[in-house]
């Protein structure tokens, strides 16, 4: 990336929202980061500017063919007012893997992380401190060249916006009811399932709507070929505890490689709890349920960290997991990860990065 980071401060700062009623992704901070790309020139003109709408040509390629990628991570404020990021280098490495799949030029991961730190540093007062709250960070890249030809754009914008977010669960970790999706699929072998790209989410909303209509809060996705093997839950990775062993679907090209997923596998190994990444069919899960060996199930992702599953419905076979209550291991994983993220617990794996 060419040139220095320019900072244009907002003259009159916005009024902050009520930090006890934030919800998710509804408020945005005073400033944002923008970096432009043009073929032949590379990434250039990195700048922090007042948060505001942007103007794009209606022919900008992102609107027509969806050439875009995004990331999601969080910043936390410790009780002694330090600002911590959780494994941010993993997010920028993944952004580049998504870029590769969407034919978007690679970014300089270290320089973008440095620019992000400068932005967070400027917006420190926007980081809420109540338990469960954080500053959600949304980096994304859009194809901006005005052209209706189907090909890779020659121009892009990378932007980072920040949103103070509330506790994902108002009253403790509430187990959710999940429908096993047997009609729609999220991703297929060779597709874009492993990339964080908008199209994956656009095509998943219909299944979510139909699940809600039947009284479920999300869907469990099966593989796109045999519709048999478990992939993810909603937009989270998924784990099951069966007969003392923790199982999670192996990364197969259609599953998103979650930072939370990786952190959980690392913790389980450290604790000496057997954890296996492999193919896992819905029939096998149902069998374990009938045998009484199905102990816990939970989704994992940056937004909720751990989302316990209280009920799974598969073609009208209802599986009630751990009496519909959060499992002991799920709770321990949640407490450990959020403890490390907020500086309350030691950080033996050097996961947190301080922003000065
Ligand atoms: C972002 C995401 C996840 C979780 O990834 P984290 O890095 O843990 O936040 C899982 N599945 C999908 C489809 C995602 O988009």
């Amino acid at each position: 990336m060419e040139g220095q980071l320019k900072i244009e401060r907002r003259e009159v700062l916005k009024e902050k929202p009520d930090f006890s009623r934030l919800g998710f992704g509804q408020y945005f901070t005073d400033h944002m980061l923008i970096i432009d790309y043009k073929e032949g020139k590379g990434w250039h003109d990195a700048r922090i500017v007042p948060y505001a709408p942007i103007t794009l040509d209606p022919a900008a390629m992102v609107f027509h063919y969806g050439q875009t990628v995004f990331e999601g991570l969080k910043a936390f404020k410790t009780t002694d007012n330090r600002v911590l990021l959780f494994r941010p280098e993993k997010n920028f490495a993944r952004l580049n893997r998504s870029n590769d799949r969407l034919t978007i030029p690679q970014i300089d991961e270290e320089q973008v992380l440095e620019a992000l730190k400068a932005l967070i540093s400027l917006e420190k007062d926007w980081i809420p401190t109540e338990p469960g709250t954080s500053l959600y960070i949304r980096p994304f890249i859009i194809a901006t060249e005005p052209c209706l030809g189907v090909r890779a754009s020659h121009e892009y914008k990378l932007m980072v916006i920040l949103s103070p977010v509330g506790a994902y669960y108002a009253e403790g970790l509430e187990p959710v009811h999940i429908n096993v999706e047997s009609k729609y699929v999220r991703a297929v072998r060779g597709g874009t399932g492993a990339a964080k790209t908008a199209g994956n989410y656009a095509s998943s909303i219909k299944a979510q709507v139909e699940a809600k209509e039947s009284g479920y809060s999300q869907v469990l996705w099966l593989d796109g070929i045999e519709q048999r093997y478990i992939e993810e839950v909603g937009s989270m990775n998924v784990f099951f505890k069966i007969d003392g062993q923790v199982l999670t679907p192996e990364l197969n090209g259609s599953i998103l490689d979650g930072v939370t997923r990786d952190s959980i596998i690392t913790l389980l190994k450290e604790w000496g709890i057997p954890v296996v990444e492999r193919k896992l069919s819905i029939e096998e899960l149902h069998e374990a349920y009938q045998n009484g060996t199905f102990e816990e199930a939970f989704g994992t992702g940056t937004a909720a960290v751990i989302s316990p599953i209280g009920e799974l419905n598969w073609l009208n076979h209802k599986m009630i997991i751990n009496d519909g209550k959060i499992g002991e291991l799920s709770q321990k994983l949640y407490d450990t990860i959020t403890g490390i993220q907020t500086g309350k617990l030691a950080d033996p794996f050097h996961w947190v990065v301080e922003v000065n």
Side-chain angles (χ1 to χ4, degrees):
M1 196 168 65
E2 168 197 299
Q4 283 293 306
L5 177 66
K6 290 193 254 352
I7 300 181
E8 182 197 332
R9 284 172 185 262
R10 190 179 206 106
E11 281 175 20
V12 182
L13 296 184
K14 293 181 187 178
E15 202 170 307
K16 304 259 186 323
D18 177 353
F19 278 5
S20 66
R21 305 178 58 187
L22 288 168
F24 188 85
Q26 301 182 61
Y27 301 99
F28 299 95
T29 67
D30 288 303
H31 301 88
M32 60 187 182
L33 170 69
I34 306 183
I35 309 176
D36 292 322
Y37 178 93
K38 201 177 173 77
E39 202 167 271
K41 198 169 178 191
W43 291 104
H44 62 278
D45 201 11
R47 57 206 187 270
I48 290 172
V49 294
Y51 186 98
I54 56 168
T55 302
L56 287 177
D57 194 296
M61 293 175 90
V62 64
F63 296 136
H64 305 278
Y65 312 120
Q67 201 190 3
T68 177
V69 294
F70 69 93
E71 268 305 323
L73 64 160
K74 286 172 167 176
F76 304 86
K77 202 180 262 178
T78 66
T79 47
D80 56 348
N81 278 318
R82 290 179 307 130
V83 175
L84 304 179
L85 299 172
F86 186 70
R87 311 187 77 184
E89 67 289 344
K90 298 273 279 177
N91 293 90
F92 290 107
R94 185 170 66 192
L95 187 62
N96 261 340
R97 294 199 300 277
S98 299
N99 281 340
D100 179 60
R101 183 64 184 82
L102 273 289
T103 332
I104 294 173
Q106 297 284 295
I107 58 160
D108 182 324
E109 296 165 27
E110 271 172 42
Q111 281 183 16
V112 177
L113 179 52
E114 286 311 306
L116 168 66
K117 286 184 189 168
L119 176 65
I120 306 245
S121 191
L122 192 64
E123 305 287 55
K124 271 183 186 154
D125 292 347
W126 283 91
I127 310 176
T129 52
E130 288 83 58
T133 64
S134 60
L135 185 68
Y136 185 78
I137 304 164
R138 170 52 58 86
F140 62 106
I141 302 176
I142 52 175
T144 53
E145 185 190 355
C147 176
L148 296 182
V150 180
R151 58 162 173 78
S153 174
H154 298 141
E155 294 166 26
Y156 300 87
K157 255 188 185 4
L158 179 155
M159 303 181 66
V160 181
I161 55 175
L162 307 175
S163 174
V165 297
Y168 205 85
Y169 302 99
E171 289 150 34
L173 279 78
E174 208 49 61
V176 291
H177 293 194
I178 299 291
N179 191 43
V180 180
E181 178 58 56
S182 47
K183 185 159 70 170
Y184 305 110
V185 298
R186 180 190 164 269
V188 293
R189 191 163 66 208
T192 56
K196 254 180 138 67
T197 185
N200 293 344
Y201 306 84
S203 65
S204 75
I205 293 170
K206 193 164 173 65
Q208 188 186 326
V209 167
E210 290 184 13
K212 286 227 162 93
E213 282 167 0
S214 328
Y216 295 92
S217 53
Q218 257 303 347
V219 301
L220 186 75
W221 296 107
L222 301 180
D223 76 275
I225 295 166
E226 295 178 62
Q227 289 192 251
R228 227 184 124 192
Y229 296 99
I230 292 157
E231 299 233 314
E232 302 202 44
V233 60
S235 52
M236 304 180 110
N237 296 117
V238 67
F239 287 77
F240 305 95
K241 183 162 177 259
I242 295 174
D243 208 9
Q245 192 179 57
V246 179
L247 299 169
T248 191
E250 66 189 353
L251 300 177
N252 59 358
S254 55
I255 291 172
L256 204 287
D257 180 1
V259 177
T260 319
R261 175 185 183 278
D262 181 79
S263 307
I264 282 170
I265 292 171
T266 305
L267 284 173
L268 291 171
K269 286 182 178 162
E270 172 76 9
W271 295 343
I273 296 173
V275 51
V276 182
E277 299 172 66
R278 65 162 168 87
K279 272 174 114 162
L280 173 64
S281 71
I282 185 68
E283 290 93 342
E284 181 182 345
L285 209 61
H286 188 244
E287 226 166 84
Y289 181 71
Q290 288 182 313
N291 295 340
T293 54
F294 191 167
E295 300 168 32
E296 297 185 31
F298 54 92
T300 72
T302 294
V305 185
I306 298 277
S307 175
I309 299 171
E311 181 185 318
L312 269 176
N313 178 53
W314 176 47
L315 305 171
N316 295 323
H317 302 292
K318 271 199 201 315
M319 302 177 238
I320 313 286
I321 305 149
N322 195 42
D323 282 334
K325 294 197 285 282
I326 181 167
E328 205 177 300
L329 183 64
S330 312
Q331 184 72 55
K332 185 175 172 193
L333 285 163
Y334 178 83
D335 293 341
T336 305
I337 290 185
T338 55
I340 294 172
Q341 286 174 332
T342 53
K344 286 193 193 84
L345 292 181
D347 176 26
F349 305 103
H350 306 287
W351 281 339
V352 298
V353 170
E354 190 164 344
V355 177
N356 294 308

